[in-house]
């Protein structure tokens, strides 16, 4: 190599160093520009969100002031004659407010406005809070007469310094709040959301996210599971939070501010397209410089590369000469059988990896074989590692007999799955290639079958996760294997090796409530299991557990032997406590009169008819409240309801728990006392009931005393009465009792009423 050539190389190396420094400077400047852009974007988003919060405060405070002012104006023009119909005087104040509609709810919870359908608001939050004297907002997510979510601003209405009802004004969330949320970010639309404390969307800048919640919105944006929690964590924070997150379109930004006046959260989301627009404008110039310098660098590299091309060709020719000597042999004998071959020079410990792609031989270097082998430790099952490395170390390969094939199987750990699985089969042999002693290791890939096996196992585990425990039982070899199990079940089983039947009896005896132990022991009896599952693949038993409440145990057939006897079964236990509680709650609601707490007519009649069908004798009493219409007209329907509740309470206190107490409708209640057939016992119960009626005290009706009229009919087996007969006979007696003033009763067959004294 002459002096000029060396000088040219030094010049080119110096030029490359200068270019690298320029590129580094451009990269640093670009990174700085991006960082500043992100900071400015964060500041802009936070200021926009804060601006929305202040606008929301202004809107809410204005609406609350309007409803309070309307309440004051309305209370000033109310009179005794217009109190019950206060809604009729709301039209003039409505014109001076921002509300679409103002409604008055009286103390009984009924709206008195003549617009729309009348309804009872006792169960609505704005009525319960307003009647206590509070002012606030209630969000109606499912209005009957509007397509948008409504905001109800409520406040109490006072008359003579007492709360006479609740005044509520309605605004549409989309028409009031959406303009606040509709904000652009550098010409791109932001996603504006207003949610309540539970994450449900009250209003948004687009119809796409109406009537949903923040988790569904995160799903629609493609937010990864690990980043969804940011929305719920920051939404509950008292301070505003800015954060970045990933979504299907790339990186996005969001700001969440908690509005203290309402308890709601304001969320502004900048989509990836807007962020890219900002970043691109700051990096385009740097990219142009970078591209120019890159072209110059490539030119310099070509010049330097051409200076040493001759040397590289010599090296490549030498390598090609070595490879060509056995290339055709490898292609014809190995490419159809093996995924690849590793050749190891036993003298230098250097290794190449030769693999096949479309029957073409490709080669890549690995380096020192022993070092590479040690780095594979984490990819090999620990139980196979010592055996495999003992076979493949250079010093051991040298000791192998030439021409003899050495084969060893091992398990490889799949990076993207859990657990160890057998994946590769490895064959090692010693041969001479090109005059050098070389070991050749071949690899066969069985990955597809293993992945399929793991997918099947994952499916089984996903199904098993809904159960307290899932165990596979082999009835033929008396073995049990846990698929999944609650910790307390695993603790009971421990490491015992009992027979499966004995083990299952012991576990379920400890986990089952005493009253269900006998049927449980019969259910898990293996001796009768074949017969019980003869025509079905599953049987179940519901029981009360001592740890988890109501549960459902189940045997599921897996396979059978040649005689069609059960070979393997799944034993699963599922917690159904919540399901049972919900079913009992629905049954109670369907059978109960919700105002008085006693049975409703349908439930009471069904129960009495069941007792009659069983030929039960007993006394049927029909009770009417005296002058009930007068009570409603004089003291109001609220006072009338309290009278009915008090009468029902007296019935429950006077009669037995086994007696059927029900409300027939209006002010009419009834009771059937099974087993009460003699006159003396019947009168003791009736007088005890009428004594309690005399002691009823209700502040709403002052000194007015409550009394009832009662008719009684005793059913004997010899009478042959059905329910309608009993009702008709007792009703005729009630009619007689009403002719006598104050807590009177008449038995069927008597010509006049008696009075309790």
């Amino acid at each position: 190599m002459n002096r000029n050539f060396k000088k040219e190389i030094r010049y080119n190396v110096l030029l490359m160093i200068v270019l690298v420094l320029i590129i580094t400077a451009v990269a640093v400047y670009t990174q700085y520009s991006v960082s500043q852009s992100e900071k400015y974007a964060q500041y802009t988003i936070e200021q926009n969100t804060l601006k929305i919060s202040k606008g929301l405060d202004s809107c809410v405070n204005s609406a609350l002031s309007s409803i309070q002012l309307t309440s004051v104006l309305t209370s000033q023009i109310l009179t005794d004659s217009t109190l019950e119909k206060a809604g009729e005087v709301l039209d003039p104040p409505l014109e001076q407010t921002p509300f679409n509609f103002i409604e008055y709810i009286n103390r009984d919870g009924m709206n008195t406005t003549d617009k729309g359908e009348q309804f009872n608001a006792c169960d609505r939050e704005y009525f319960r809070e307003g009647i206590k004297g509070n002012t606030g907002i209630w969000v109606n997510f499912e209005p009957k007469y509007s397509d948008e979510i409504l905001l109800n601003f409520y406040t109490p209405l006072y008359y003579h310094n007492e709360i006479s009802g609740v005044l509520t004004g309605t605004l549409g969330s989309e028409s009031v709040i959406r303009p606040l949320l509709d904000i652009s970010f550098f010409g791109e639309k932001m996603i504006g959301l207003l949610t309540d404390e539970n994450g449900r969307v009250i209003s948004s800048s687009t119809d796409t996210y109406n009537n949903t919640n923040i988790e569904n919105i995160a799903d629609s944006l493609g937010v990864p599971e690990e980043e969804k929690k940011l929305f719920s964590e920051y939404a509950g924070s008292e301070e505003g939070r800015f954060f970045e997150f990933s979504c299907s379109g790339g990186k996005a930004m969001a700001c969440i501010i908690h509005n203290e006046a309402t308890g709601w959260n304001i969320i502004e989301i900048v989509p990836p397209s807007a962020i890219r627009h900002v970043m691109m404008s700051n990096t385009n110039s740097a990219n142009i410089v970078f591209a120019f310098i890159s072209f110059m660098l490539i030119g310099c590299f070509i010049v330097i590369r051409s200076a040493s091309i001759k040397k590289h060709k010599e090296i490549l020719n030498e390598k090609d000469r070595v490879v060509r000597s056995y290339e055709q042999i490898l292609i014809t004998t190995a490419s159809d059988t093996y995924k690849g071959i590793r050749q190891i020079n036993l003298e230098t410990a250097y290794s190449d990896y030769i693999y096949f792609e479309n029957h073409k031989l490709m080669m890549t270097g690995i380096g020192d074989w022993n070092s590479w082998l040690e780095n594979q430790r984490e990819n090999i099952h620990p139980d196979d590692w010592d055996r495999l490395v003992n076979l493949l170390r250079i010093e051991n390969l040298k000791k192998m007999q030439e021409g003899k094939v050495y084969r060893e199987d091992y398990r490889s750990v799949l990076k993207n799955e859990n657990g160890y699985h057998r994946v590769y089969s490895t064959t090692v042999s010693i041969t001479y290639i090109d005059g050098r002693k070389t070991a050749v290791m071949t690899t066969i890939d069985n990955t597809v079958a293993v992945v399929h096996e793991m997918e099947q196992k994952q499916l089984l585990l996903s199904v098993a996760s809904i159960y307290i425990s899932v165990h596979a039982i082999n009835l033929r070899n008396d073995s049990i294997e846990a698929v999944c199990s609650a910790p307390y079940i695993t603790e009971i089983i421990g490491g015992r090796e009992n027979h499966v039947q004995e083990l299952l009896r012991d576990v379920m005896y400890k986990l089952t409530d005493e009253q269900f132990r006998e049927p449980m022991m019969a259910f898990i009896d293996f001796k009768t299991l074949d017969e019980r599952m003869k025509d079905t693949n599953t049987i179940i038993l519901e029981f009360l557990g001592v740890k988890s409440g109501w549960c459902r145990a189940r045997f599921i057939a897996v396979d059978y032997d040649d005689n069609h006897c059960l070979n393997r079964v799944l034993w699963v236990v599922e917690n159904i406590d919540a399901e049972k509680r919900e079913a009992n709650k629905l049954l109670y609601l369907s059978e109960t009169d919700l105002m008085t707490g006693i049975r409703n007519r349908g439930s009471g009649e069904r129960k009495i008819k069941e007792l009659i069908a069983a030929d039960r004798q007993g006394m049927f009493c029909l009770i009417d409240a005296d002058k009930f219409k007068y009570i409603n007209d004089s003291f109001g329907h609220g006072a009338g309801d309290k009278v009915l509740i008090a009468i029902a309470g007296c019935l429950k206190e006077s009669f037995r728990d086994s007696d059927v107490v029900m409300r027939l409708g209006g002010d009419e209640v009834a009771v059937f006392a099974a087993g009460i057939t003699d006159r003396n016992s019947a009168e003791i119960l009736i007088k005890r009931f009428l004594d309690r009626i005399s002691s009823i005290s209700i502040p709403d009706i002052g000194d007015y005393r409550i009394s009832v009229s009662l008719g009684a009919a005793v059913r004997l087996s010899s009478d042959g009465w059905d329910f309608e007969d009993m009702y008709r006979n007792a009703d005729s007696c009630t009619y007689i009792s009403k002719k006598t003033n104050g807590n009177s009763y008449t038995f069927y067959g008597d010509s006049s009423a008696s009075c309790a004294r």
Side-chain angles (χ1 to χ4, degrees):
M1 188 179 295
N2 58 44
R3 185 175 301 175
N4 291 332
F5 184 72
K6 291 182 178 179
K7 183 178 180 181
E8 183 180 355
I9 290 179
R10 288 196 296 268
Y11 175 79
N12 289 333
V13 170
L14 181 61
L15 180 60
M16 288 185 63
I17 293 173
V18 172
L19 291 175
V20 169
L21 292 175
I22 294 175
I23 292 174
T24 302
V26 172
V28 171
Y29 173 75
T30 302
Q31 185 64 33
Y32 174 77
S33 298
V34 170
S35 175
Q36 291 300 109
S37 298
E38 290 181 347
K39 290 181 180 179
Y40 181 67
Q42 176 180 344
Y43 174 79
T44 303
I45 297 169
E46 290 176 342
Q47 290 301 309
N48 285 341
T49 310
L50 185 60
K51 179 180 177 182
I52 295 172
S53 181
K54 292 180 179 178
L56 180 63
D57 285 341
S58 177
C59 177
V60 169
N61 291 335
S62 175
L64 290 175
S65 298
S66 294
I67 195 65
Q68 289 175 318
L69 180 59
T70 303
S71 174
V72 173
L73 294 176
T74 303
S75 64
Q76 291 176 353
I77 60 177
L78 284 178
T79 64
D80 292 341
S81 60
T82 62
L83 180 60
E84 285 301 319
K85 297 183 178 180
E88 296 178 358
V89 301
L90 291 177
D91 283 339
L94 175 61
E95 298 175 357
Q96 307 300 322
T97 70
F99 302 116
N100 303 326
F101 184 64
I102 294 181
E103 194 162 44
Y104 171 67
I105 313 296
N106 64 22
R107 287 191 63 86
D108 295 332
M110 301 300 297
N111 68 318
T112 61
T113 309
D114 56 0
K115 298 177 181 179
E117 181 182 346
Q118 190 175 34
F119 61 88
N120 190 317
C122 285
D123 60 342
R124 301 191 181 182
E125 181 182 353
Y126 67 79
F127 173 76
R128 296 197 303 268
E129 292 297 318
I131 207 70
K132 295 177 184 177
N134 297 327
T135 297
I137 316 169
W138 179 73
V139 182
N140 187 354
F141 284 101
E142 298 176 356
K144 294 182 179 179
Y145 308 110
S146 174
D147 294 332
E148 63 177 327
I149 296 169
L150 299 180
L151 304 179
N152 288 351
F153 294 83
Y154 60 85
T155 192
L157 181 63
Y158 288 88
Y159 181 66
H160 288 173
N161 296 325
E162 292 185 357
I163 297 176
S164 66
V166 177
L167 209 60
T168 175
T170 303
L171 290 176
S173 64
E174 297 305 311
S175 57
V176 175
I177 298 176
R178 176 173 286 187
L180 298 175
L181 301 174
D182 192 8
I183 294 179
S184 297
F185 178 78
F186 293 97
E188 296 276 349
K189 287 290 186 181
M190 298 173 67
I191 301 173
L193 303 171
L194 180 65
T195 69
D196 65 4
E197 59 274 12
N198 297 317
R200 195 168 181 181
V201 176
I202 299 172
S203 182
S204 68
S205 59
T206 173
D207 293 334
T208 306
Y209 302 121
N210 284 346
N211 200 18
T212 184
N213 57 50
I214 192 63
E215 293 213 359
N216 291 338
I217 293 174
D219 287 335
S220 69
L221 292 174
V223 180
E225 289 294 331
E226 62 271 13
E227 296 189 37
K228 287 182 185 176
K229 61 182 181 180
L230 295 175
F231 287 89
S232 57
E233 288 178 359
Y234 294 159
S237 174
E238 294 295 330
E239 299 179 356
R241 297 297 298 267
F242 170 87
F243 60 96
E244 297 178 351
F245 63 94
S246 304
C247 64
S248 57
K251 183 177 74 171
M253 298 179 178
C255 184
I256 299 179
I257 288 183
H258 181 77
N259 185 274
E260 295 183 0
T262 60
W264 301 335
N265 296 301
I266 300 158
I267 306 174
E268 283 294 321
I269 300 174
V270 182
S273 59
I275 295 174
R276 286 195 296 269
H277 177 75
V278 175
M279 299 307 170
M280 189 176 298
S281 63
N282 287 280
T283 57
N284 278 342
S285 58
N287 288 337
I288 293 173
V289 174
F290 181 78
F292 175 74
I293 296 177
S294 297
F295 282 123
M296 292 182 62
L297 181 62
I298 291 172
C300 294
F301 177 77
I302 292 174
V303 172
I304 297 174
R305 180 64 176 169
S306 63
S308 57
I309 193 67
K310 185 177 180 180
K311 184 64 176 178
H312 284 297
K313 283 184 177 180
E314 292 176 357
I315 296 173
L316 290 175
N317 287 336
E318 175 65 18
K319 193 169 187 178
D320 286 343
R321 185 182 65 81
V322 175
V323 172
R324 280 195 302 271
S325 63
Y326 58 87
E327 179 180 286
Q328 192 59 42
I329 297 175
L330 289 176
I331 292 176
T332 55
T333 60
S335 63
D336 289 332
T337 305
Y338 302 114
K339 180 180 179 182
I341 293 177
R342 291 180 174 86
Q343 69 165 8
I344 310 154
N345 189 311
L346 301 183
E347 296 175 359
T348 64
Y350 183 86
S351 173
D352 288 328
Y353 178 45
I354 306 168
Y355 61 98
F356 304 97
E357 185 177 283
N358 298 326
H359 294 274
K360 294 180 180 179
L361 185 145
M362 314 294 286
M363 179 179 289
T364 181
I366 293 177
D368 181 73
W369 172 253
N370 280 348
S371 299
W372 179 87
L373 188 63
E374 187 64 32
N375 291 335
Q376 301 306 305
R377 179 185 291 270
E378 63 178 10
N379 299 326
I380 309 300
H381 192 291
D383 293 345
D384 298 338
W385 171 254
D386 290 338
R387 173 170 46 83
L388 185 65
V389 77
N390 183 60
L391 176 71
L392 297 179
R393 287 190 181 279
I394 290 292
E395 54 270 24
N396 295 328
L397 290 175
K398 290 180 178 180
K399 299 176 183 177
M400 290 182 181
Q401 181 180 349
E402 296 182 16
K404 182 178 179 180
V405 175
Y406 292 85
R407 181 184 180 89
E408 192 67 65
D409 293 337
Y410 66 92
R411 288 166 291 180
S412 176
V413 180
L414 291 182
K415 295 295 186 179
N416 59 343
E417 300 289 352
N418 296 321
Y420 301 108
H421 296 272
R422 188 176 299 276
V423 178
Y424 298 116
S425 175
T426 302
T427 302
V428 179
S429 65
I430 303 297
T431 185
Y432 287 93
I433 296 178
D434 198 26
R436 294 176 298 177
K437 191 174 184 182
T438 303
V440 177
M441 185 179 74
T442 59
T443 303
I444 301 174
D445 191 349
N446 296 320
T447 307
V448 175
V450 174
V451 171
H452 177 71
E453 175 188 341
M454 296 173 66
E455 289 176 348
Q456 295 300 317
K457 184 175 181 180
Q458 188 63 36
L459 288 174
L460 178 60
L461 290 174
S462 66
V463 172
S465 64
I466 67 174
Y467 297 101
I468 296 175
S469 72
V470 178
H471 287 79
I473 299 176
N474 191 316
L475 300 172
R476 296 295 162 252
N477 63 16
D478 195 36
S479 65
I480 184 170
E481 179 182 358
V483 179
C484 70
S485 180
Y488 58 85
I489 296 179
T490 304
E491 183 179 350
I492 295 176
I493 294 177
R496 295 183 299 176
E497 298 181 354
N498 307 55
H499 292 299
V500 175
Q501 177 73 92
E502 179 184 344
L503 182 63
L504 194 59
R505 285 181 180 274
D506 185 29
V507 172
M508 295 315 299
Y509 186 86
K510 294 178 180 178
L511 295 179
T512 305
D513 187 83
E514 184 176 358
Q515 58 182 316
F516 289 92
R517 283 175 180 168
E518 185 174 346
M520 175 57 74
M521 295 301 105
F523 182 73
I524 61 176
D525 188 359
F526 290 170
K527 295 179 181 178
T528 62
L529 191 57
D530 270 316
E531 182 63 28
R532 286 181 287 143
M533 298 186 69
K534 184 176 182 181
D535 299 318
T536 181
N537 67 342
T538 183
I539 56 175
I540 63 173
L541 174 69
E542 293 185 356
F543 67 97
L544 189 62
V546 298
K547 292 278 188 181
S548 304
W550 281 100
C551 298
R552 182 183 292 124
R554 184 190 299 268
F555 279 114
I556 303 173
V558 176
D559 55 25
Y560 300 84
D561 61 16
D562 295 338
N563 298 321
H564 202 68
C565 294
L566 284 169
N567 186 31
R568 290 183 300 166
V569 294
L570 283 179
W571 165 254
V572 300
V573 180
E574 178 185 5
N575 185 291
I576 59 170
D577 197 58
E579 176 184 329
K580 278 285 189 180
R581 288 199 302 271
E582 183 64 22
N584 291 337
K585 177 183 177 182
L586 293 175
L587 178 63
Y588 173 79
L589 291 175
S590 68
E591 294 184 346
T592 305
D593 177 69
L594 297 182
M595 185 179 76
T596 60
I598 60 179
R599 288 178 181 265
N600 56 32
R601 181 167 193 148
S603 170
E605 282 191 16
R606 284 194 300 272
K607 184 62 177 178
I608 294 173
K609 287 178 179 179
E610 289 175 6
L611 294 173
I612 292 175
D615 199 24
R616 294 296 305 275
Q617 303 179 123
M619 174 180 65
F620 181 76
C621 297
L622 192 63
I623 302 109
D624 274 352
D626 294 337
K627 299 180 180 180
F628 188 68
K629 185 176 184 304
Y630 169 78
I631 295 173
N632 277 335
D633 293 343
S634 301
F635 305 107
H637 289 279
D641 291 346
K642 292 179 181 179
V643 169
L644 291 178
I645 294 171
I647 292 174
C650 291
L651 271 176
K652 289 190 290 186
E653 292 172 0
S654 303
F655 287 84
R656 302 164 300 179
D657 291 341
S658 59
D659 296 335
V660 182
V661 179
M662 64 177 174
R663 182 185 178 191
L664 297 172
D667 63 327
E668 191 176 49
V669 294
V671 61
F672 180 72
I676 303 299
T677 56
D678 65 283
R679 181 67 172 263
N680 184 49
S681 299
E683 286 194 337
I684 290 174
L685 285 175
I686 292 172
K687 288 179 179 180
R688 183 164 61 192
F689 167 64
L690 295 178
D691 286 344
R692 283 188 166 86
I693 293 293
S694 299
S695 63
I696 291 176
S697 176
I698 300 175
D700 292 23
I701 61 176
D703 296 332
Y704 184 83
R705 309 311 300 169
I706 304 301
S707 65
V708 298
S709 297
L710 184 147
V714 176
R715 178 191 181 277
L716 301 176
S717 298
S718 58
D719 295 332
W721 291 352
D722 58 14
F723 177 80
E724 286 71 21
D725 295 330
M726 283 198 312
Y727 182 90
R728 185 169 52 254
N729 295 337
D731 187 48
S732 64
C733 295
T734 305
Y735 179 76
I736 296 173
S737 297
K738 280 187 173 292
K739 296 178 181 180
T740 302
N741 290 331
N743 288 346
S744 58
Y745 62 92
T746 305
F747 276 91
Y748 181 70
D750 292 355
S751 58
S752 60
S754 303
C755 296
R757 302 299 182 196

